[in-house]
Amino acid sequence: MTDRPAHRAPAFPAGTFRPDPAPAGRGRMLAAAAGLELRITSRNGEQLLLAVVIPVAALLLLSLTRIVSLPDPRVSAVVPGVLTLAVLSAGFTSQAITTGFDRRYGVLKRLSAAGMGRGLLLSGKVAATSAVVVGQVVVLVAVASALGWRPHGDLLWAVLLLALGVAAFVGLALLLGGVLRAEAVLALANLVWLLLVAVGGVVQPLTAAPAWLRTVGELTPAGALSQGLRAVLQDGHAPGALPVVVLLSWTVLGWAGVVRWFRWQ
Amino acid sequence: MPILGDREPPPARPRAAPTRCTAAVPRGYPVTGVPAAGAGRADAIEVVELRRRYGSVLAVDGLSFSVPRGSTTVLIGPNGAGKTSTIECCEGFAPADGGSVRVLGMDPWREAGRLRPRIGVMLQAGGAQPAARTGEMLRLLARCSARPHDPEWLLDVLGLREVERTPIRRLSGGQAQRLSLATALVGRPELLFLDEPTAGMDPQARGIVRELLSAARTDGVAVLLTTHLLDEAETADQVVIVDEGRVVAQGSPAELTAGASGQLRFRAPAGLDLHPLLSALPLGFRATEPAPGRYLVEGPVDPATAATVASFCARAGVMPSGLDAGGRSLEEVYLDLTGRQLR
């Protein structure tokens, strides 16, 4: 609270508004934009539900009950799927919806009016999503460890796959959120989430699926990420070329579309 | 310390001196054609024959005006006249489909990256993230600037301290407008674009905004604003009246409202015989009764004209009222030029 009442006419000494414009450094702008997006995400109940609560609930449910048949130890078969679910939720669905509504409200226009270029705005979104994913991984790994999970394989591969997953999903999210109307983005981002959860090897490994579904699933970004993570974390070997190539392809496709079609308003 | 980065400091505030030509415009209102050649460096904004098309609609149709550095120009016009389209072209949010726009010597569409840090923009739609808090949003935009105004000071000055932690979606219309103005000011811009800055504000807030803009102008900030409030236009250096994408009149408020065409109005009982008045006035005058009881004398009006009218009334045994050689209010000029029907 202030001791200055709102309606008191302020006096402005000469020189108060003397022009002195200068843009801040790029790093500072990026941190500011990503920081605000992170704070808003952390206050948004739906986004938290999607990003943390659902993956943690899935981890607990699939590990502790036998509603889905999985090899033992169950938690080892569950972790790659829930990590995929987490990246899909935060990187794709949340970010697409956020971007769609940012455009609707003119937030991107406002930031670009303040001197934030397109590259900086998009980098801010990637940085914010990456920070969310780091948080998700920390929480999920902690819960999984409490359930007795011990990772196998080269963790560097897991980090690389997760980073590729973020790149692919955020590119696709910005493409969807940067082109369609906010309502259409909301509907489509949720529909795609459901489809990818269904065919992306999130709940059960794709190896358990019929051959045609397995082929389709492995070509989706979620399927590629879950299969890659299963190879590393569950089976303890390198992910093979297919998941990496599929994720790289979606990354290139999504970001090329962003460069070509992304609209500010 | 360089004042404007790579640019020279703004000159002492020049008064608007619009170039004028006497084009065929209703009733001799001043109109600006093409800005004077060589005015580029001196002007903060130079718009020449701007065209902007949305699908089949020509929103801006050959519009020209300029805003000298450190001066305030108001764009007024009916809804859909092309004001916001014009401002968006100046801010670099939309390309010109024809003509040219220079802002601080730059092409705003192609050089947006260099231009934007030097301008302050108040968007009509606000552009704030509704879930963000008031203070949070302002501090974010302050961080886009190397030497911003203190956002805490702006929160105090604009009466936003009490809603500092309120999500923007819960602000009143006037509070949201004040936040939007704060975000436009925070980067110490040399040129401000304000699209209907006082829409939804209560009289107290409007007073503060007026004072603030007047201080900014004194400090050398150029301002281009749109408004529907004609009394706000009256304090500007220059008023540009826009209709159907074109400039219909342009000049200082005094120039626009002066009885430039030489008119004297008065009221008296209806149906006076005006012949004695006409014969008492020198050649070149016209006297008419456009509406019952309202009289209009046109010609090179001077104090003697008023005396002649007064003695004519005395001889006719009537008392004239509302004898007015001044022009009309800006509102009357505006309504005359843009028509009175609703758009």
Side-chain angles (χ1 to χ4, degrees), chain B residues 19-264:
Chain B
T19 317
R20 236 167 287 123
C21 66
T22 47
V25 158
R27 305 214 234 134
Y29 288 103
V31 159
T32 293
V34 178
R41 287 302 300 137
D43 289 336
I45 301 176
E46 198 183 348
V47 175
V48 181
E49 291 291 315
L50 173 66
R51 282 168 198 278
R52 174 77 188 138
R53 188 181 287 283
Y54 292 97
S56 61
V57 180
L58 198 56
V60 183
D61 182 12
L63 195 141
S64 301
F65 67 95
S66 56
V67 178
R69 293 194 181 225
S71 76
T72 296
T73 292
V74 174
L75 288 182
I76 55 176
N79 291 326
K83 306 184 295 289
T84 298
S85 299
T86 302
I87 285 211
E88 289 201 327
C89 288
C90 294
E91 293 163 345
F93 284 121
D97 292 322
S100 78
V101 179
R102 304 294 290 177
V103 176
L104 302 176
M106 287 178 262
D107 175 339
W109 179 247
R110 297 186 184 287
E111 297 172 90
R114 281 176 56 219
L115 174 65
R116 295 270 173 71
R118 295 172 59 188
I119 63 176
V121 173
M122 182 171 176
L123 300 170
Q124 204 175 45
Q129 164 65 256
R133 294 177 176 141
T134 305
E136 215 168 49
M137 193 72 205
L138 184 56
R139 286 179 205 113
L140 162 67
L141 290 161
R143 260 176 243 131
C144 293
S145 176
R147 296 181 290 273
H149 282 294
D150 180 3
E152 308 307 317
W153 172 74
L154 277 170
L155 288 173
D156 285 335
V157 161
L158 286 165
L160 292 168
R161 178 58 71 194
E162 278 119 83
V163 290
E164 182 198 349
R165 296 186 57 77
T166 305
I168 288 163
R169 73 164 74 84
R170 295 218 300 269
L171 295 183
S172 72
Q175 288 167 334
Q177 284 290 90
R178 279 181 268 151
L179 171 61
S180 189
L181 177 62
T183 59
L185 282 168
V186 74
R188 299 184 192 272
E190 54 192 290
L191 169 60
L192 269 175
F193 291 96
L194 308 173
D195 205 351
E196 297 189 15
T198 54
M201 282 188 190
D202 58 27
Q204 289 89 337
R206 278 212 299 276
I208 291 175
V209 170
R210 238 195 311 272
E211 196 171 333
L212 191 150
L213 291 182
S214 149
R217 179 167 60 167
T218 308
D219 288 340
V221 180
V223 181
L224 177 63
L225 70 91
T226 69
T227 184
H228 286 297
L229 298 175
L230 292 150
D231 57 330
E232 281 179 4
E234 277 165 7
T235 56
D237 296 305
Q238 181 185 214
V239 177
V240 179
I241 303 181
V242 180
D243 195 14
E244 291 174 352
R246 294 175 188 187
V247 173
V248 294
Q250 175 171 358
S252 71
E255 287 166 336
L256 285 175
T257 55
S261 53
Q263 295 183 334
L264 186 92

Side-chain angles (χ1 to χ4, degrees), chain A residues 60-85:
Chain A
L60 291 172
L61 193 73
L62 294 173
S63 303
L64 298 177
T65 71
R66 304 208 158 261
I67 49 173
V68 177
S69 77
L70 289 169
D72 281 318
R74 292 183 64 86
V75 70
S76 295
V78 171
V79 167
V82 295
L83 286 176
T84 302
L85 178 65

Side-chain angles (χ1 to χ4, degrees), chain A residues 73-100:
Chain A
R74 292 183 64 86
V75 70
S76 295
V78 171
V79 167
V82 295
L83 286 176
T84 302
L85 178 65
V87 177
L88 166 66
S89 302
F92 178 74
T93 303
S94 275
Q95 187 52 265
I97 294 170
T98 302
T99 303

